[in-house]
Amino acid sequence: MLEPGMLVRHPGAPEWGVGQVQSRIDGKTTVNFREAGKVVIDGTRVMLEPVFDT
């Protein structure tokens, strides 16, 4: 379960770098990635990977 503030990676876009979860509403997760900016991701289609070591 992703929560605001958690750090994540997008498995299909490693070039985006590490992102921070901003919000999660109705299966949509808004993440602010270092290299891609703010992105809204459909949680039913993409499984974001939590990052524990930065």
Side-chain angles (χ1 to χ4, degrees):
M1 184 78 163
L2 298 175
E3 308 231 352
M6 288 182 72
L7 298 178
V8 295
R9 280 194 172 90
H10 188 300
E15 67 276 10
W16 290 0
V18 174
Q20 184 177 41
V21 175
Q22 303 297 302
S23 65
R24 191 164 181 266
I25 301 169
D26 295 330
K28 306 281 189 209
T29 304
T30 302
V31 182
N32 192 15
F33 287 98
R34 290 181 185 162
E35 303 299 325
K38 195 170 283 189
V39 179
V40 178
I41 296 171
D42 183 347
T44 64
R45 300 183 70 191
V46 176
M47 184 66 70
L48 294 169
E49 300 170 344
V51 173
F52 299 106
D53 58 335
T54 56

